[in-house]
Amino acid sequence: MTYQAEYIWIDGNEPTAEMRSKTKILADGDEPGIWGFDGSSTNQATGDNSDVVLLPRFQCPDPIRGGNNVLVMCETALPETLEPHPTNTRAAAVAAYDKYKEHEPLFGMEQEYTMLDPVTGWPAGFPEHGYPRPQGPYYCGVGAVKITGRDIVEDHMKLCMAAGLAISGINAEVMPGQWEFQIGPVDTVTVADHIWMARYLMYRLGEKHHLEISLEAKPMPGDWNGAGMHTNFSTKEMRENYDAIIAAAEALGAPGKPEEHLAGYGIGIEERLTGEHETQRFDQFSYGVSDRGASVRIPWQVAQDKKGYIEDRRPNANADPYVVAALMTETVCAALEK
Ligand code: ADP
Ligand code: MN
Ligand code: MN
Ligand code: MN
């Protein structure tokens, strides 16, 4: 008997990388091994030297195909040396985690996304020739006029659970057609593996429902919220005392750090981080308790308990979770060691 392994990887598309996948049929009992693809078709190689290697790294049940079929998240590597491909961001996340794992970093990422009509590019739930009522009733809303796309969101949540991903919740967002799912709390590498896998499942559902799933940071200009990937982060020390919470927030605001982080927080950061719509401006750094207009929020419960985690509100929905998780692990853990 045989089964299907769907090999998934991140391509070299600019300015934002996209997902690719292809299927391998394997004999029962055989593990998905090293494979490869034509990098000249994914902006990862030239035609005269086109082979890019796929190294299987994270595997879970394939909840779409069911049975004993699997999804396999891969790292891309160079032929012969098997060194990470220049577009491979996972290897650096693994290195950051290995370096600092005694701090036991934990992440919860809130992935926002927008459902778009693939023909008009207009968000699902926007009337054909115009705008819906202003924002207000949509966030966590209930009812036909407020909510579009709940069926696909529910299906997605079930698929993530069946795949064994660390999905921790979903909610409707502030702009119509915008939703969020959360992954976590899990470690630096796992959170990013699971975010990418959950994105993959969402894209697959989008094919079925004829909806474009967009991670664009500011899909609708004007008085409409953008889409982010708030990143909640803690270490063992932060889960034990408040000094470490403050030290972590300060570390993210240290000279040079805001620029370094924003460079890895996704494309279109200036359009989304305007100081409006529950954001701090991209050129300012601040942190505060319960403050959704700050770069970094300390949840009220954390201020009360004097321990817990912080929320970096800056990453865009289109950010690479491997890059975001590696940056936060490096910056905060290095500061805690001082
Ligand atoms: P918000 O109030 O900002 O919408 P959410 O409930 O959407 O927050 O997301 C909070 C995320 O933080 C969840 O994914 C949760 O798993 C995660 N989280 C909870 N505790 C911790 C912790 N100690 N360290 C890191 N992440 C955490
Ligand atoms: Mn949330
Ligand atoms: Mn949100
Ligand atoms: Mn949040």
Short mmCIF file of all heavy atoms in Angstrom, two decimals, residues 237-288:
data_model
loop_
_atom_site.label_atom_id
_atom_site.label_comp_id
_atom_site.label_asym_id
_atom_site.label_seq_id
_atom_site.Cartn_x
_atom_site.Cartn_y
_atom_site.Cartn_z
N GLU A 237 11.98 33.41 32.64
CA GLU A 237 12.14 34.52 33.59
C GLU A 237 10.91 35.43 33.58
O GLU A 237 10.44 35.88 34.64
CB GLU A 237 13.37 35.36 33.24
CG GLU A 237 14.70 34.61 33.23
CD GLU A 237 15.01 33.90 31.90
OE1 GLU A 237 14.07 33.70 31.09
OE2 GLU A 237 16.18 33.55 31.68
N MET A 238 10.38 35.70 32.37
CA MET A 238 9.21 36.59 32.23
C MET A 238 7.96 35.95 32.84
O MET A 238 7.07 36.65 33.32
CB MET A 238 8.97 36.94 30.76
CG MET A 238 10.09 37.79 30.16
SD MET A 238 10.06 37.77 28.35
CE MET A 238 8.59 38.75 28.02
N ARG A 239 7.91 34.63 32.81
CA ARG A 239 6.76 33.93 33.39
C ARG A 239 6.87 33.85 34.90
O ARG A 239 5.97 33.37 35.58
CB ARG A 239 6.61 32.53 32.77
CG ARG A 239 6.23 32.56 31.29
CD ARG A 239 5.89 31.18 30.72
NE ARG A 239 7.02 30.27 30.66
CZ ARG A 239 7.90 30.21 29.65
NH1 ARG A 239 7.75 31.01 28.60
NH2 ARG A 239 8.89 29.34 29.67
N GLU A 240 8.03 34.33 35.44
CA GLU A 240 8.26 34.28 36.89
C GLU A 240 8.31 35.65 37.56
O GLU A 240 7.92 35.79 38.72
CB GLU A 240 9.56 33.52 37.19
CG GLU A 240 9.40 32.01 37.03
CD GLU A 240 10.73 31.26 36.94
OE1 GLU A 240 11.79 31.90 37.05
OE2 GLU A 240 10.68 30.03 36.74
N ASN A 241 8.80 36.69 36.83
CA ASN A 241 8.88 38.00 37.51
C ASN A 241 8.75 39.19 36.56
O ASN A 241 9.05 39.09 35.37
CB ASN A 241 10.16 38.09 38.37
CG ASN A 241 11.38 38.32 37.52
OD1 ASN A 241 11.62 39.44 37.06
ND2 ASN A 241 12.15 37.27 37.29
N TYR A 242 8.30 40.31 37.14
CA TYR A 242 7.95 41.50 36.36
C TYR A 242 9.17 42.26 35.86
O TYR A 242 9.11 42.92 34.82
CB TYR A 242 7.05 42.42 37.20
CG TYR A 242 6.18 43.33 36.37
CD1 TYR A 242 5.20 42.82 35.53
CD2 TYR A 242 6.33 44.72 36.42
CE1 TYR A 242 4.40 43.64 34.77
CE2 TYR A 242 5.53 45.57 35.66
CZ TYR A 242 4.57 45.02 34.84
OH TYR A 242 3.77 45.84 34.08
N ASP A 243 10.29 42.18 36.60
CA ASP A 243 11.52 42.84 36.14
C ASP A 243 11.89 42.33 34.75
O ASP A 243 12.33 43.11 33.89
CB ASP A 243 12.69 42.56 37.10
CG ASP A 243 12.52 43.31 38.42
OD1 ASP A 243 11.66 44.21 38.47
OD2 ASP A 243 13.23 42.97 39.39
N ALA A 244 11.73 41.04 34.53
CA ALA A 244 12.07 40.45 33.22
C ALA A 244 11.09 40.92 32.15
O ALA A 244 11.47 41.10 30.99
CB ALA A 244 12.08 38.92 33.31
N ILE A 245 9.83 41.15 32.53
CA ILE A 245 8.84 41.70 31.58
C ILE A 245 9.29 43.08 31.10
O ILE A 245 9.32 43.36 29.90
CB ILE A 245 7.44 41.81 32.26
CG1 ILE A 245 6.89 40.42 32.60
CG2 ILE A 245 6.46 42.63 31.41
CD1 ILE A 245 6.32 39.65 31.44
N ILE A 246 9.67 43.93 32.06
CA ILE A 246 10.11 45.29 31.71
C ILE A 246 11.42 45.24 30.93
O ILE A 246 11.60 45.96 29.93
CB ILE A 246 10.27 46.15 33.00
CG1 ILE A 246 8.92 46.30 33.71
CG2 ILE A 246 10.86 47.53 32.67
CD1 ILE A 246 7.81 46.95 32.87
N ALA A 247 12.33 44.35 31.35
CA ALA A 247 13.61 44.22 30.64
C ALA A 247 13.38 43.81 29.18
O ALA A 247 14.05 44.31 28.26
CB ALA A 247 14.50 43.19 31.34
N ALA A 248 12.41 42.95 28.95
CA ALA A 248 12.10 42.50 27.58
C ALA A 248 11.56 43.65 26.75
O ALA A 248 11.98 43.87 25.60
CB ALA A 248 11.10 41.35 27.62
N ALA A 249 10.63 44.44 27.32
CA ALA A 249 10.05 45.58 26.60
C ALA A 249 11.13 46.62 26.30
O ALA A 249 11.20 47.16 25.19
CB ALA A 249 8.91 46.19 27.41
N GLU A 250 11.99 46.86 27.28
CA GLU A 250 13.10 47.81 27.09
C GLU A 250 14.06 47.32 26.00
O GLU A 250 14.54 48.11 25.19
CB GLU A 250 13.86 48.02 28.41
CG GLU A 250 13.10 48.81 29.47
CD GLU A 250 13.10 50.32 29.22
OE1 GLU A 250 13.98 50.79 28.48
OE2 GLU A 250 12.21 51.01 29.76
N ALA A 251 14.34 46.02 26.01
CA ALA A 251 15.29 45.46 25.03
C ALA A 251 14.79 45.70 23.61
O ALA A 251 15.58 46.02 22.71
CB ALA A 251 15.48 43.97 25.27
N LEU A 252 13.48 45.60 23.41
CA LEU A 252 12.92 45.79 22.06
C LEU A 252 13.02 47.26 21.62
O LEU A 252 12.98 47.55 20.42
CB LEU A 252 11.46 45.32 22.02
CG LEU A 252 11.28 43.80 22.15
CD1 LEU A 252 9.81 43.45 22.36
CD2 LEU A 252 11.81 43.06 20.92
N GLY A 253 13.14 48.17 22.60
CA GLY A 253 13.24 49.59 22.28
C GLY A 253 14.66 50.14 22.34
O GLY A 253 14.87 51.33 22.11
N ALA A 254 15.65 49.28 22.62
CA ALA A 254 17.05 49.74 22.73
C ALA A 254 17.52 50.32 21.40
O ALA A 254 16.98 49.96 20.34
CB ALA A 254 17.94 48.57 23.15
N PRO A 255 18.53 51.23 21.45
CA PRO A 255 18.98 51.89 20.21
C PRO A 255 19.27 50.89 19.09
O PRO A 255 19.95 49.89 19.31
CB PRO A 255 20.26 52.61 20.65
CG PRO A 255 20.07 52.85 22.11
CD PRO A 255 19.27 51.70 22.63
N GLY A 256 18.72 51.16 17.90
CA GLY A 256 18.94 50.31 16.74
C GLY A 256 17.98 49.15 16.62
O GLY A 256 17.75 48.63 15.52
N LYS A 257 17.39 48.73 17.75
CA LYS A 257 16.54 47.54 17.73
C LYS A 257 15.22 47.73 16.98
O LYS A 257 14.83 46.85 16.21
CB LYS A 257 16.29 47.04 19.17
CG LYS A 257 17.46 46.30 19.75
CD LYS A 257 17.69 44.99 19.00
CE LYS A 257 19.00 44.34 19.40
NZ LYS A 257 19.30 43.15 18.57
N PRO A 258 14.50 48.87 17.18
CA PRO A 258 13.25 49.01 16.43
C PRO A 258 13.46 48.89 14.93
O PRO A 258 12.69 48.19 14.25
CB PRO A 258 12.75 50.41 16.84
CG PRO A 258 13.29 50.59 18.23
CD PRO A 258 14.66 49.94 18.19
N GLU A 259 14.51 49.52 14.39
CA GLU A 259 14.79 49.47 12.95
C GLU A 259 15.09 48.03 12.52
O GLU A 259 14.59 47.55 11.51
CB GLU A 259 15.97 50.37 12.58
CG GLU A 259 15.73 51.87 12.83
CD GLU A 259 15.84 52.29 14.30
OE1 GLU A 259 16.22 51.45 15.15
OE2 GLU A 259 15.54 53.46 14.61
N GLU A 260 15.95 47.36 13.31
CA GLU A 260 16.32 45.98 12.98
C GLU A 260 15.09 45.08 12.94
O GLU A 260 14.91 44.27 12.03
CB GLU A 260 17.33 45.47 14.03
CG GLU A 260 17.87 44.08 13.75
CD GLU A 260 18.63 43.49 14.95
OE1 GLU A 260 19.10 44.26 15.81
OE2 GLU A 260 18.75 42.25 15.00
N HIS A 261 14.21 45.24 13.92
CA HIS A 261 13.01 44.40 13.98
C HIS A 261 12.04 44.73 12.85
O HIS A 261 11.53 43.83 12.18
CB HIS A 261 12.33 44.52 15.34
CG HIS A 261 12.96 43.65 16.39
ND1 HIS A 261 12.32 42.61 17.00
CD2 HIS A 261 14.23 43.65 16.89
CE1 HIS A 261 13.14 42.00 17.85
NE2 HIS A 261 14.31 42.63 17.81
N LEU A 262 11.78 46.02 12.62
CA LEU A 262 10.81 46.39 11.59
C LEU A 262 11.23 45.87 10.21
O LEU A 262 10.39 45.50 9.40
CB LEU A 262 10.60 47.90 11.54
CG LEU A 262 9.81 48.49 12.72
CD1 LEU A 262 9.59 49.98 12.53
CD2 LEU A 262 8.47 47.78 12.94
N ALA A 263 12.56 45.81 9.98
CA ALA A 263 13.05 45.30 8.70
C ALA A 263 12.65 43.83 8.50
O ALA A 263 12.56 43.36 7.35
CB ALA A 263 14.57 45.44 8.62
N GLY A 264 12.39 43.12 9.59
CA GLY A 264 11.98 41.71 9.49
C GLY A 264 10.51 41.48 9.78
O GLY A 264 10.07 40.34 9.91
N TYR A 265 9.74 42.56 9.90
CA TYR A 265 8.33 42.43 10.31
C TYR A 265 7.33 42.52 9.16
O TYR A 265 6.15 42.71 9.38
CB TYR A 265 8.00 43.47 11.38
CG TYR A 265 8.46 43.10 12.80
CD1 TYR A 265 9.21 41.95 13.05
CD2 TYR A 265 8.12 43.90 13.89
CE1 TYR A 265 9.62 41.62 14.34
CE2 TYR A 265 8.52 43.57 15.19
CZ TYR A 265 9.28 42.43 15.40
OH TYR A 265 9.66 42.12 16.69
N GLY A 266 7.82 42.41 7.91
CA GLY A 266 6.90 42.30 6.78
C GLY A 266 6.90 43.52 5.89
O GLY A 266 7.39 44.59 6.26
N ILE A 267 6.33 43.35 4.71
CA ILE A 267 6.29 44.39 3.68
C ILE A 267 5.10 45.32 3.91
O ILE A 267 4.00 44.87 4.22
CB ILE A 267 6.20 43.73 2.28
CG1 ILE A 267 7.47 42.92 1.99
CG2 ILE A 267 5.93 44.75 1.18
CD1 ILE A 267 8.76 43.72 2.05
N GLY A 268 5.35 46.63 3.75
CA GLY A 268 4.25 47.60 3.88
C GLY A 268 4.02 48.04 5.31
O GLY A 268 2.91 48.43 5.68
N ILE A 269 5.08 48.02 6.13
CA ILE A 269 4.93 48.33 7.56
C ILE A 269 4.51 49.79 7.76
O ILE A 269 3.73 50.10 8.66
CB ILE A 269 6.24 47.95 8.31
CG1 ILE A 269 5.93 47.52 9.73
CG2 ILE A 269 7.25 49.10 8.36
CD1 ILE A 269 5.83 46.07 9.97
N GLU A 270 4.99 50.71 6.89
CA GLU A 270 4.65 52.13 7.05
C GLU A 270 3.17 52.38 6.76
O GLU A 270 2.57 53.27 7.36
CB GLU A 270 5.48 53.02 6.11
CG GLU A 270 6.97 53.03 6.38
CD GLU A 270 7.70 51.89 5.67
OE1 GLU A 270 7.04 51.03 5.06
OE2 GLU A 270 8.94 51.85 5.75
N GLU A 271 2.59 51.59 5.85
CA GLU A 271 1.16 51.78 5.53
C GLU A 271 0.28 51.33 6.69
O GLU A 271 -0.79 51.87 6.90
CB GLU A 271 0.77 50.99 4.28
CG GLU A 271 1.17 51.64 2.96
CD GLU A 271 2.61 51.33 2.58
OE1 GLU A 271 2.90 50.18 2.25
OE2 GLU A 271 3.46 52.25 2.65
N ARG A 272 0.74 50.30 7.42
CA ARG A 272 -0.09 49.78 8.51
C ARG A 272 0.19 50.47 9.83
O ARG A 272 -0.75 50.82 10.56
CB ARG A 272 0.13 48.27 8.65
CG ARG A 272 -0.67 47.69 9.78
CD ARG A 272 -0.60 46.17 9.86
NE ARG A 272 -0.71 45.78 11.25
CZ ARG A 272 0.31 45.51 12.05
NH1 ARG A 272 1.55 45.50 11.59
NH2 ARG A 272 0.11 45.23 13.31
N LEU A 273 1.46 50.70 10.16
CA LEU A 273 1.81 51.31 11.46
C LEU A 273 1.77 52.84 11.32
O LEU A 273 2.80 53.50 11.20
CB LEU A 273 3.17 50.84 11.95
CG LEU A 273 3.33 49.33 12.19
CD1 LEU A 273 4.69 49.02 12.79
CD2 LEU A 273 2.22 48.77 13.08
N THR A 274 0.54 53.37 11.34
CA THR A 274 0.33 54.80 11.09
C THR A 274 0.10 55.59 12.37
O THR A 274 0.05 56.82 12.34
CB THR A 274 -0.92 55.00 10.22
OG1 THR A 274 -2.04 54.40 10.91
CG2 THR A 274 -0.76 54.36 8.85
N GLY A 275 -0.10 54.87 13.50
CA GLY A 275 -0.51 55.55 14.73
C GLY A 275 -2.03 55.55 14.88
O GLY A 275 -2.55 55.90 15.93
N GLU A 276 -2.74 55.14 13.81
CA GLU A 276 -4.20 54.99 13.86
C GLU A 276 -4.52 53.49 13.89
O GLU A 276 -3.64 52.66 13.69
CB GLU A 276 -4.85 55.59 12.61
CG GLU A 276 -4.46 57.02 12.29
CD GLU A 276 -5.23 58.03 13.11
OE1 GLU A 276 -6.41 57.78 13.38
OE2 GLU A 276 -4.64 59.05 13.50
N HIS A 277 -5.82 53.18 14.10
CA HIS A 277 -6.28 51.80 13.99
C HIS A 277 -5.48 50.85 14.88
O HIS A 277 -5.01 49.80 14.44
CB HIS A 277 -6.25 51.33 12.52
CG HIS A 277 -7.01 52.23 11.60
ND1 HIS A 277 -6.39 52.99 10.62
CD2 HIS A 277 -8.32 52.52 11.51
CE1 HIS A 277 -7.30 53.70 9.97
NE2 HIS A 277 -8.48 53.43 10.50
N GLU A 278 -5.35 51.22 16.15
CA GLU A 278 -4.73 50.35 17.16
C GLU A 278 -3.27 50.03 16.85
O GLU A 278 -2.82 48.92 17.04
CB GLU A 278 -5.53 49.05 17.33
CG GLU A 278 -7.00 49.28 17.65
CD GLU A 278 -7.79 47.98 17.75
OE1 GLU A 278 -7.31 47.08 18.44
OE2 GLU A 278 -8.88 47.90 17.17
N THR A 279 -2.54 51.04 16.31
CA THR A 279 -1.10 50.85 16.10
C THR A 279 -0.33 52.06 16.63
O THR A 279 -0.89 53.14 16.78
CB THR A 279 -0.74 50.72 14.59
OG1 THR A 279 -0.97 51.97 13.92
CG2 THR A 279 -1.56 49.62 13.91
N GLN A 280 0.94 51.84 16.90
CA GLN A 280 1.89 52.92 17.13
C GLN A 280 2.54 53.21 15.77
O GLN A 280 2.65 52.33 14.93
CB GLN A 280 2.94 52.49 18.16
CG GLN A 280 4.12 53.45 18.35
CD GLN A 280 3.72 54.85 18.80
OE1 GLN A 280 3.15 55.63 18.03
NE2 GLN A 280 3.98 55.16 20.06
N ARG A 281 2.98 54.47 15.55
CA ARG A 281 3.67 54.80 14.31
C ARG A 281 4.95 53.97 14.14
O ARG A 281 5.63 53.67 15.11
CB ARG A 281 4.05 56.29 14.30
CG ARG A 281 2.90 57.24 14.02
CD ARG A 281 3.42 58.67 14.01
NE ARG A 281 4.50 58.82 13.03
CZ ARG A 281 4.32 59.10 11.73
NH1 ARG A 281 3.11 59.27 11.26
NH2 ARG A 281 5.35 59.22 10.93
N PHE A 282 5.29 53.65 12.89
CA PHE A 282 6.48 52.83 12.62
C PHE A 282 7.77 53.51 13.08
O PHE A 282 8.75 52.85 13.40
CB PHE A 282 6.57 52.50 11.11
CG PHE A 282 6.82 53.69 10.23
CD1 PHE A 282 8.11 54.06 9.88
CD2 PHE A 282 5.76 54.47 9.76
CE1 PHE A 282 8.34 55.17 9.09
CE2 PHE A 282 5.99 55.57 8.97
CZ PHE A 282 7.29 55.93 8.63
N ASP A 283 7.77 54.88 13.14
CA ASP A 283 9.01 55.58 13.50
C ASP A 283 9.06 55.96 14.98
O ASP A 283 9.89 56.76 15.40
CB ASP A 283 9.20 56.82 12.61
CG ASP A 283 7.99 57.74 12.63
OD1 ASP A 283 7.03 57.46 13.40
OD2 ASP A 283 7.98 58.74 11.89
N GLN A 284 8.14 55.38 15.76
CA GLN A 284 8.19 55.60 17.21
C GLN A 284 8.12 54.27 17.92
O GLN A 284 7.49 53.34 17.42
CB GLN A 284 7.01 56.48 17.65
CG GLN A 284 7.23 57.96 17.30
CD GLN A 284 5.98 58.77 17.50
OE1 GLN A 284 5.27 58.58 18.48
NE2 GLN A 284 5.70 59.67 16.58
N PHE A 285 8.76 54.18 19.10
CA PHE A 285 8.66 52.97 19.91
C PHE A 285 8.10 53.31 21.27
O PHE A 285 8.51 54.28 21.91
CB PHE A 285 10.03 52.29 20.08
CG PHE A 285 9.93 51.04 20.92
CD1 PHE A 285 9.65 49.81 20.31
CD2 PHE A 285 10.06 51.08 22.30
CE1 PHE A 285 9.50 48.66 21.08
CE2 PHE A 285 9.91 49.93 23.07
CZ PHE A 285 9.65 48.72 22.45
N SER A 286 7.14 52.53 21.72
CA SER A 286 6.61 52.71 23.07
C SER A 286 6.09 51.38 23.58
O SER A 286 5.77 50.49 22.79
CB SER A 286 5.47 53.74 23.06
OG SER A 286 4.38 53.26 22.29
N TYR A 287 6.04 51.25 24.91
CA TYR A 287 5.33 50.09 25.49
C TYR A 287 4.48 50.57 26.64
O TYR A 287 4.75 51.62 27.23
CB TYR A 287 6.31 48.99 25.91
CG TYR A 287 7.22 49.32 27.07
CD1 TYR A 287 6.82 49.09 28.39
CD2 TYR A 287 8.49 49.83 26.85
CE1 TYR A 287 7.67 49.38 29.45
CE2 TYR A 287 9.35 50.13 27.91
CZ TYR A 287 8.92 49.90 29.21
OH TYR A 287 9.76 50.18 30.25
N GLY A 288 3.41 49.83 26.92
CA GLY A 288 2.53 50.24 28.01
C GLY A 288 1.52 49.16 28.35
O GLY A 288 1.22 48.28 27.53
#
